[in-house]
Amino acid sequence: MTTFTGHLGESGKTAILDATEIRVRRPAQGTAGRDRFISGKSKQNAVKAMVLTDAEGRLLFCGEARPGSCPDITQARTSGLVGLLDTGPWVEILADAAYQGLGGQTGGRS
């Protein structure tokens, strides 16, 4: 089984990494963790989805949806993406400042 890192490493293609917030209804009052869904960036109740695509927009990796309060780089770490990048070949990934420092955690492979 070939992972997306093998595909990108062999082809020399660049990937794009980003997360998006999807607005949701706030969990009911008295529900544990109710405040975790409040996004600091958009000041609304949201869940966050992180995706990695190739330059043509094909989906290569999708992390699980997390509460809106979860920082982008934390979501990359907990989704297993950092582990995949650390063990695979060097790949070029374009990402915004929310992922600053990710290359140092992957042995400079991303």
Side-chain angles (χ1 to χ4, degrees):
M1 182 168 107
T2 303
T3 65
F4 71 88
T5 56
H7 166 72
L8 290 172
E10 292 170 7
S11 66
K13 292 185 177 181
T14 299
I16 302 165
L17 175 65
D18 204 3
T20 186
E21 292 182 351
I22 303 157
R23 194 171 185 177
V24 296
R25 289 184 63 148
R26 187 171 188 185
Q29 189 170 3
T31 303
R34 182 177 186 209
D35 292 336
R36 294 183 329 151
F37 289 88
I38 299 174
S39 166
K41 181 171 74 174
S42 61
K43 308 290 188 222
Q44 65 184 10
N45 296 295
V47 293
K48 187 177 288 189
M50 181 191 66
V51 296
L52 183 82
T53 67
D54 64 11
E56 288 78 35
R58 289 184 290 254
L59 182 65
L60 301 174
F61 181 87
C62 182
E64 65 183 27
R66 306 278 302 189
S69 61
C70 180
D72 292 359
I73 196 163
T74 300
Q75 188 172 16
R77 290 179 189 131
T78 59
S79 68
L81 179 62
V82 171
L84 289 171
L85 294 173
D86 191 30
T87 59
W90 184 90
V91 296
E92 181 179 43
I93 298 176
L94 302 178
D96 60 24
Y99 299 97
Q100 189 171 1
L102 188 62
Q105 296 170 0
T106 59
R109 290 191 180 101
S110 61

